[in-house]
């Protein structure tokens, strides 16, 4: 039995209408197996973020189909999205409120206890800043790295089965990057699947179990880490060959 | 839906602007009812509605709707597993309740002060004032919601929403209310509100939010 949690077929997304329209996703096909860490790479403008936005329901596709956790009816997809946590472009944070209040708003929406909020704050290593900072200081006073950690905390709050992370390493310092790598691997062991879009190929190489290379709105290369390893090629070489660089 | 409404209330309660707006409406209502104006000797003339109410309702629309576009927080709600229709309806409910509180303050305070200054009493056509006032407020809420959803930008929503509401309500006040029965005006406001709310829900359901 297939254990695909995402099946995307012939996805089309265009922005604008008429002569000014621009097709960003052009008949894209993709599958994500439960337990995978899918590394999504490609040049700026390749359509990576738009693909993630389509999955998250931020933008609506113009054609094709998206199946999430076995649900393909577009009118019911929102129910499956409760199993997804993520950061797309920037963390969904109200910067005028404190970290605690931001988490509390999401916790109320999902019917989650304060205990779980404390748990995720611990997981993302924000508790070291103290209760006063977390409960009183508005998030706009936080560093970029702290905001990113808070975004990850929000994504983790509902114990998601799938995490969608768009450039998650933005603003993280070297320690933060190492922490993030461990977090991803740890959560993956607990059964969480990932789609991680990043330009940092070497970092992605450390965690991904499969890769998708996007160019001009399509996935032009798709390979598992195992196959890549067996081929003797590293991911950077594979990427260059598929995209046609050097 | 209940959780969405609770979360929206929590957010509003935690924002300082909410308290500032409530305080502002109280002060404004008290001042507008206390200062005698030339020719205003009747009880009903004193018991008027503060002009800045439109701006305050527009500001609430910015906090509840428009800010989500600027802050990129809509998708957080989508990933909580709620349908877009429910998300927008829950915000409308919260906006409606807060606006009702603001409206009650805007009417109640001048009412009490006017009554005190005039040594008791109430306007004979109070029911007409209330029906027009609340239907007008419903109309303002619906216009502000649609404006915030279509225009998305905070300052533009504030300016355009306030402008439209001020313009329409003044036309109604000076041109229509003297000649058309209050019940017809109230009904028209409610009908228009329903149309604008439906347009807001419909538009948001198919909108690219980020």
């Amino acid at each position: 039995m297939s254990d695909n949690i995402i099946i995307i077929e012939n996805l089309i997304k265009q922005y604008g209408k008429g002569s000014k329209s621009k097709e960003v996703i052009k008949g894209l096909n993709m599958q994500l197996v439960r337990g995978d860490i899918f590394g999504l790479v490609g040049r700026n403008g390749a359509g990576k973020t738009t693909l993630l936005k389509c999955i998250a329901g931020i933008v609506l596709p113009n054609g094709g189909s998206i199946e999430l956790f076995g649900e393909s009816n577009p009118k019911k997809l929102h129910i499956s999205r409760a199993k997804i946590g993520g950061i797309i472009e920037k963390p969904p944070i109200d910067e005028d409120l404190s970290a605690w209040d931001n988490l509390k708003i999401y916790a109320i929406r999902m019917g989650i206890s304060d205990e779980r909020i404390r748990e995720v704050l611990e997981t993302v290593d924000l508790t070291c800043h103290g209760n006063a900072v977390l409960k009183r200081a508005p998030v706009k006073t936080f560093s970029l790295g702290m905001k990113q950690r808070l975004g990850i905390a929000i994504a983790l709050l509902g114990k998601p089965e799938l995490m969608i992370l768009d450039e998650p390493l933005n603003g993280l310092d070297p320690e933060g990057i190492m922490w993030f790598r461990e977090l991803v691997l740890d959560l993956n062991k607990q059964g969480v699947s990932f789609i991680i879009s990043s330009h940092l190929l070497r970092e992605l190489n450390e965690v991904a179990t499969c890769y998708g290379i996007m160019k001009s709105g399509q996935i032009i290369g798709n390979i598992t880490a195992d196959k890549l390893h067996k081929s003797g090629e590293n991911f950077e070489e594979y990427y260059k060959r598929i995209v046609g660089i050097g | 839906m209940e959780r969405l409404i609770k979360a929206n209330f929590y957010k509003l309660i935690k924002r300082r602007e909410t308290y500032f707006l409530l305080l502002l409406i109280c002060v404004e209502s008290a001042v507008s009812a206390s200062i005698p104006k030339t020719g205003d000797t009747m009880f009903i003339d004193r018991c008027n509605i503060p002009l800045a109410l439109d701006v305050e309702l527009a500001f609430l629309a910015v906090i509840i709707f428009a800010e989500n576009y600027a802050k990129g927080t809509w998708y957080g709600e989508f990933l909580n597993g709620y349908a877009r229709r429910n998300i927008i309806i829950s915000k409308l409910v919260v906006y409606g309740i807060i606006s009702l509180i603001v409206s009650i303050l805007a009417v109640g305070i001048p009412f009490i002060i006017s009554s005190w200054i005039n040594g008791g009493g109430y306007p004979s056509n109070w029911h007409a004032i209330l029906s027009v006032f609340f239907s007008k407020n419903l109309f303002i809420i619906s216009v502000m919601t649609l404006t915030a959803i279509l225009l998305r930008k905070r300052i533009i929503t504030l300016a355009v929403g306030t402008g439209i509401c001020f313009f329409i309500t003044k036309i109604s006040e000076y041109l229509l209310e003297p000649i058309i029965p209050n019940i017809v005006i109230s009904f028209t406001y409610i009908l228009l509100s329903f149309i604008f709310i439906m347009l807001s829900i419909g538009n948001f359901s198919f909108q690219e939010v980020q």
Side-chain angles (χ1 to χ4, degrees):
Chain A
M1 188 188 134
S2 123
D3 202 10
N4 288 319
I5 54 175
I6 296 183
I7 301 173
I8 294 174
E9 281 174 356
N10 202 23
L11 188 74
I12 295 167
K13 177 64 200 168
Q14 62 181 43
Y15 289 117
K17 282 176 187 170
S19 59
K20 285 180 182 173
S21 72
K22 190 186 173 196
E23 205 167 57
V24 183
I25 305 273
K26 301 168 184 171
L28 181 143
N29 295 299
M30 177 191 159
Q31 290 184 351
L32 181 73
V33 177
R34 190 181 293 276
D36 267 354
I37 301 175
F38 188 89
L40 186 64
V41 290
R43 286 178 185 158
N44 288 332
K48 303 185 297 293
T49 302
T50 303
L51 169 62
L52 301 183
K53 283 180 178 179
C54 286
I55 296 171
I58 299 168
V59 297
L60 306 169
N62 298 93
S65 66
I66 297 177
E67 185 184 309
L68 299 174
F69 299 96
E71 181 58 71
S72 57
N73 182 349
K75 287 181 180 169
K76 291 181 181 170
L77 270 184
H78 64 268
I79 301 166
S80 299
R81 289 198 175 101
K83 296 176 183 170
I84 302 175
I87 300 179
I88 299 168
E89 280 190 332
K90 56 182 180 180
I93 297 169
D94 187 333
E95 296 199 2
D96 293 317
L97 299 178
S98 69
W100 179 270
D101 288 336
N102 268 289
L103 284 159
K104 183 76 185 172
I105 289 167
Y106 285 93
I108 294 170
R109 266 192 221 127
M110 291 186 269
I112 285 167
S113 68
D114 287 1
E115 196 46 49
R116 176 68 187 155
I117 299 179
R118 285 185 202 101
E119 216 173 282
V120 290
L121 281 171
E122 194 108 355
T123 308
V124 299
D125 221 5
L126 275 175
T127 41
C128 58
H129 296 282
N131 261 348
V133 171
L134 295 177
K135 290 199 170 175
R136 290 198 200 102
V139 174
K140 61 186 166 199
T141 61
F142 284 17
S143 68
L144 201 58
M146 280 172 78
K147 285 179 193 169
Q148 201 71 353
R149 282 171 190 259
L150 178 61
I152 293 171
I154 289 170
L156 288 174
L157 204 58
K159 296 186 178 172
E161 291 178 36
L162 167 67
M163 292 275 281
I164 297 176
L165 302 169
D166 187 17
E167 295 297 345
L169 304 175
N170 274 355
L172 292 181
D173 54 20
E175 276 178 41
I177 292 174
M178 285 188 276
W179 160 81
F180 175 77
R181 193 191 305 150
E182 278 170 29
L183 178 76
V184 169
L185 293 172
D186 191 40
L187 287 170
N188 186 242
K189 273 182 202 161
Q190 295 170 34
V192 180
S193 312
F194 285 85
I195 300 178
I196 304 173
S197 160
S198 177
H199 290 304
L200 302 174
L201 302 187
R202 284 187 189 159
E203 272 312 314
L204 216 48
N205 202 26
E206 297 281 325
V207 291
T209 59
C210 56
Y211 303 93
I213 297 173
M214 273 193 85
K215 189 180 177 184
S216 307
Q218 286 179 320
I219 291 185
I220 55 164
N222 204 336
I223 192 164
T224 64
D226 278 350
K227 266 190 190 168
L228 191 66
H229 185 69
K230 279 176 194 162
S231 74
E233 222 175 5
N234 68 34
F235 182 57
E236 215 168 300
E237 288 164 345
Y238 174 76
Y239 177 79
K240 281 181 184 171
R241 183 166 58 80
I242 294 293
V243 176
I245 310 170
Chain B
M1 181 72 98
E2 195 189 322
R3 285 179 187 163
L4 277 172
I5 293 171
K6 271 188 192 169
N8 287 330
F9 264 121
Y10 184 85
K11 188 177 173 183
L12 267 184
I13 286 166
K14 291 291 172 182
R15 290 289 296 264
R16 284 181 195 151
E17 291 89 336
T18 311
Y19 299 99
F20 176 72
L21 283 175
L22 290 176
L23 185 69
L24 191 68
I25 199 80
C26 292
V27 172
E28 215 181 290
S29 308
V31 170
S32 76
S34 309
I35 300 171
K37 286 169 235 130
T38 320
D40 285 3
T41 49
M42 305 268 296
F43 179 92
I44 193 164
D45 292 327
R46 284 175 181 276
C47 189
N48 52 16
I49 296 148
L51 287 176
L53 185 62
D54 288 355
V55 183
E56 279 152 32
L57 292 180
F59 204 85
L60 277 172
V62 167
I63 296 176
I64 295 170
F65 300 98
E67 265 189 6
N68 290 292
Y69 295 100
K71 292 179 175 173
T73 48
W74 280 124
Y75 82 86
E77 301 195 34
F78 300 160
L79 292 183
N80 288 160
Y82 290 100
R84 284 179 176 224
R85 193 187 59 238
N86 289 354
I87 292 171
I88 205 74
I89 290 173
S90 72
K91 288 189 188 292
L92 266 164
V93 169
V94 172
Y95 186 28
I97 293 171
I98 294 286
S99 302
L100 188 68
I101 295 170
V102 168
S103 307
I104 288 170
L105 288 173
V107 173
I109 291 172
F111 197 93
I112 292 165
I113 291 177
S114 299
S115 183
W116 178 62
I117 290 174
N118 291 282
Y122 55 87
S124 55
N125 63 340
W126 61 272
H127 54 283
I129 295 173
L130 285 186
S131 76
V132 172
F133 180 67
F134 285 110
S135 58
K136 200 184 281 183
N137 260 21
L138 186 65
F139 171 74
I140 292 172
I141 290 167
S142 66
V143 171
M144 296 297 181
T145 304
L146 187 60
T147 311
I149 286 170
L150 291 178
L151 300 178
R152 302 174 180 209
K153 307 272 183 206
R154 286 175 274 200
I155 302 295
I156 299 175
T157 299
L158 204 61
V160 175
T162 309
I164 292 173
C165 289
F166 186 77
F167 185 68
I168 293 176
T169 50
K170 285 299 151 194
I171 286 181
S172 156
E173 207 171 299
Y174 292 111
L175 298 177
L176 305 179
E177 283 170 35
I179 51 171
I180 297 173
N182 280 328
I183 186 79
V184 176
I185 291 174
S186 299
F187 180 76
T188 311
Y189 273 137
I190 290 168
L191 186 69
L192 286 172
S193 307
F194 179 75
I195 293 169
F196 289 145
I197 287 169
M198 285 298 136
L199 281 173
S200 302
I201 295 170
N203 193 283
F204 185 74
S205 299
F206 299 100
Q207 197 178 45
E208 320 256 309
V209 296
Q210 203 178 357

